[in-house]
Amino acid sequence: QTDHLFRLVGRLVAPIWHRAKAVTAVSRFVAGLAAKAYGVEPIVVPNGVRLVAAPRLSILSRGRILMVGRLSIQKNPLLAIRALALIREMDWSLDVIGDGPLRTEMEALARHEGIADRVTVHGWLSEAQVAERMAESDILLLTSLQEGLPMVAIEAPQWGLAIVSSRIGGVHDIVDEGKNGFLCELTAAAF
């Protein structure tokens, strides 16, 4: 999505990167992109998050799934609906925090798949409301096509959320497979 931007500014940025005392990147994935594009070896310094009090953990029968982000092609929200439709026999609910160009299509697909009564799209919420939803959820679902280092994935573990994500970019720096989440392959059939 940003290739055209890099082509425009690449020649201007490269000398700055090469003369810099140090270069940092938010994830190993982003560091790899910088190494490939500019021939530099960044130091990985993940984004920080404000710590919160330990979450209240409770076991409920219904799996509470949360998605947070712009409902755009990059975030791939239609894949989330298609995937959840495959497990409709399980007891789950999906809260979506965010808005964007695919919101209407996402809601229509949920209706078409017969799962609209289990999907709630809240639109954008305040920081406090997002924290409340995270505290009430069990799983953070990320279906993105690409990410540098998604902040919501950095925040999820402190709320006790497992992460189920597409196997992409910076998510590898957060998810320890089988311990705090699972990574799934994106295939042409998935979208």
Side-chain angles (χ1 to χ4, degrees):
Q1 291 178 331
T2 57
D3 284 349
H4 64 282
L5 176 64
F6 285 112
R7 279 193 289 274
L8 292 172
V9 299
R11 283 176 261 142
L12 300 171
V13 173
I16 296 169
W17 284 58
H18 287 286
R19 283 182 246 169
K21 295 266 185 207
V23 176
T24 63
V26 297
S27 68
R28 290 177 294 183
F29 173 70
V30 173
L33 292 176
K36 183 178 175 184
Y38 300 109
V40 296
E41 292 299 322
I43 301 164
V44 176
V45 180
N47 289 326
V49 294
R50 185 179 321 133
L51 296 177
V52 298
R56 291 172 277 119
L57 298 178
S58 61
I59 306 295
L60 299 176
S61 60
R62 171 170 276 205
R64 298 160 303 181
I65 303 168
L66 179 68
M67 285 185 70
V68 180
R70 181 164 163 71
L71 303 179
S72 64
I73 290 172
Q74 177 196 349
K75 300 295 184 179
N76 205 7
L78 302 181
L79 175 60
I81 299 301
R82 288 185 188 108
L84 290 170
L86 294 174
I87 59 167
R88 74 184 75 225
E89 73 282 349
M90 297 177 74
D91 194 13
W92 56 264
S93 63
L94 173 65
D95 278 311
V96 180
I97 299 172
D99 209 333
L102 293 180
R103 179 178 179 161
T104 302
E105 193 173 346
M106 182 185 194
E107 291 171 327
L109 183 59
R111 283 190 301 276
H112 175 75
E113 293 290 348
I115 59 173
D117 60 327
R118 298 161 76 179
V119 176
T120 304
V121 182
H122 298 278
W124 295 115
L125 300 177
S126 71
E127 186 177 337
Q129 291 170 314
V130 172
E132 185 178 317
R133 292 282 181 233
M134 290 184 88
E136 295 170 348
S137 298
D138 302 305
I139 297 169
L140 175 69
L141 179 60
L142 297 168
T143 53
S144 299
L145 298 173
Q146 50 183 175
E147 293 279 356
L149 184 67
M151 285 301 298
V152 69
I154 295 172
E155 295 170 356
Q158 72 178 337
W159 292 103
L161 275 71
I163 300 170
V164 175
S165 174
S166 42
R167 188 180 302 277
I168 47 136
V171 177
H172 289 278
D173 289 352
I174 300 164
V175 175
D176 187 359
E177 273 202 87
K179 292 188 179 168
N180 70 339
F182 297 94
L183 301 175
C184 306
E185 298 298 331
L186 281 171
T187 64
F191 36 113

